[in-house]
Amino acid sequence: MIQIILIAIATLLIVVSTTLGFVNTIKGNALEKKLIAISTGINELKEKSAASEELAKNLGGEQKKQVDPHWAYDGDLGPAHWGVDYPVCGTGQSQSPIDIRGPFEKTLHMISTAYTTGPLQIINNGHTLQVKVAPGSKMMVNAEPYELVQFHFHRPSEEKIDGTPQAMVIHFVHKNEEGKLVVLGVLLKEGMENQIIKSIWANAPQIAGPMVADTKTTINPNDLLPTEKSFFEFSGSLTTPPCTEGVTFFILKKPMHISKEQVAAFPFSMNARPSQPLNGRKVLTN
Ligand SMILES: [Zn+2]
C-alpha cells in the first residue's frame, strides 16, 4: 500500500517537473534539479519501506513457527495426541517426564555448574517462558563439559517425587559438542518470593511473540540453583514435541522457593506433560 502511494507521488512529481521545465525555461533548471532530488529521495524511501516490509514478514513467520499450532497441553492437541504429528511422543520407550520413585541405584556421575552473568533475553514462545543465556555458561558431568543453551519453566513441575509435583520446575538445557543434551531440573516449592524470578517475570512477555533482547537486566542462572547438588538421574526425552530421546536428566533433590503470587503471575496455568512409563529404566542417585 505504502509503495503504491510512493510510486504515485514520484510519478506526479516527475510529470510536474517535466511540465515546469517546459513552462519556465529560466528558473526551470534549478527547480527541476530540486524536484529530481525529491524524486530520488522518494525512491530511497520506497526501498527502505520494501526492506522493512520484508523484515516484518520474516518476523511474522518466525513468530508463527514459535507458536506451533500442532500441539498444546489440553484438548484435541493435548499430550495424548502428540504422537499423531510427532511419532516418538507416542511410541518412544524412554519418555520424560517421570514420577521419581525408589529403589534407586548409585550413579558414577558427578555434576557441577559454572554459569556466568549475562544480559537477560526472554521469549514467550506460546508454550513457556524461555530465557536465552550468553555463551560461556557450562555444566560439567564428570569431565565432560555441556554448554547451557537456555532455561525455561513448567507449571506445575513435570517431574514428581513419589507422586507429588512441586509448584513449578526450571529446566536448564545443555548441549555438548556432539549435540548430546543434558537437562538440569530445579524444583520450585511454594513459599517465599524468589528475587531472581522477580526480575525475570518483570521482563517476561505475557503473550507469545519475538525474543525480548534489550531488557537492560543481567542475570546469573547460578542464582536459581540450590547449593546442595544431590540429584536423581535418569535417561529420558524432550518433554515437548518432537519428544526426542537420548536426553539425560539430573533433577536436584533440594527445591528452591517461589511465592504463590509469582506462580500465579506465570502466563501459563498448566504447561506440564503427564508422567511417562519407566519401561524398565533405572533411576539413579548420588
Ligand atoms: Zn522443560
Side-chain angles (χ1 to χ4, degrees), residues 152 154 158 171 239:
H152 60 264
H154 298 276
E158 294 196 303
H171 282 159
T239 67

Side-chain angles (χ1 to χ4, degrees), residues 23-42:
V23 172
N24 196 332
T25 46
I26 304 162
K27 291 181 184 173
N29 275 348
L31 193 57
E32 203 169 348
K33 266 181 200 163
K34 263 184 197 170
L35 283 169
I36 287 167
I38 292 168
S39 164
T40 311
I42 284 173

Side-chain angles (χ1 to χ4, degrees), residues 45-64:
L45 257 175
K46 214 163 69 182
E47 275 163 28
K48 273 184 193 165
S49 151
S52 64
E53 257 176 33
E54 187 63 26
L55 184 70
K57 226 187 283 169
N58 286 342
L59 277 174
E62 202 186 318
Q63 204 169 321
K64 215 174 173 184

Side-chain angles (χ1 to χ4, degrees), residues 168-188:
M168 291 186 74
V169 68
I170 314 176
H171 282 159
F172 294 84
V173 182
H174 309 76
K175 202 184 223 179
N176 73 357
E177 279 181 355
E178 287 81 52
K180 189 178 163 16
L181 295 177
V182 160
V183 173
L184 179 66
V186 176
L187 298 161
L188 298 174

Side-chain angles (χ1 to χ4, degrees), residues 82-244:
W82 289 357
V84 176
D85 284 341
Y86 307 94
V88 181
C89 302
T91 59
Q93 295 296 298
S94 301
Q95 292 287 293
S96 289
I98 62 163
D99 180 5
I100 299 168
R101 290 169 188 268
F104 304 113
E105 290 189 9
K106 189 103 181 122
T107 179
L108 297 174
H109 286 146
M110 298 219 303
I111 61 166
S112 63
T113 54
Y115 295 160
T116 54
T117 302
L120 171 69
Q121 301 193 319
I122 186 161
I123 183 169
N124 179 330
N125 64 14
H127 302 297
T128 188
L129 291 179
Q130 187 166 300
V131 176
K132 188 184 163 195
V133 293
S137 282
K138 287 199 167 31
M139 172 176 171
M140 301 295 292
V141 180
N142 289 355
E144 180 69 29
Y146 289 82
E147 174 106 9
L148 177 62
V149 185
Q150 47 99 338
F151 64 87
H152 60 264
F153 299 81
H154 298 276
R155 170 192 182 189
S157 76
E158 294 196 303
E159 294 77 20
K160 294 172 187 151
I161 296 176
D162 288 325
T164 308
Q166 288 295 349
M168 291 186 74
V169 68
I170 314 176
H171 282 159
F172 294 84
V173 182
H174 309 76
K175 202 184 223 179
N176 73 357
E177 279 181 355
E178 287 81 52
K180 189 178 163 16
L181 295 177
V182 160
V183 173
L184 179 66
V186 176
L187 298 161
L188 298 174
K189 188 178 181 166
E190 209 173 278
M192 285 189 303
E193 186 178 59
N194 186 311
Q195 288 309 309
I196 313 301
I197 287 176
K198 192 177 181 178
S199 67
I200 297 174
W201 271 204
N203 292 290
Q206 285 297 301
I207 54 164
M211 175 83 70
V212 181
D214 58 341
T215 60
K216 295 176 182 68
T217 304
T218 55
I219 184 173
N220 189 327
N222 209 51
D223 297 335
L224 288 163
L225 307 182
T227 334
E228 169 62 44
K229 302 280 195 302
S230 299
F231 59 79
F232 298 113
E233 175 186 345
F234 56 91
S235 170
S237 71
L238 300 179
T239 67
T240 57
C243 307
T244 315

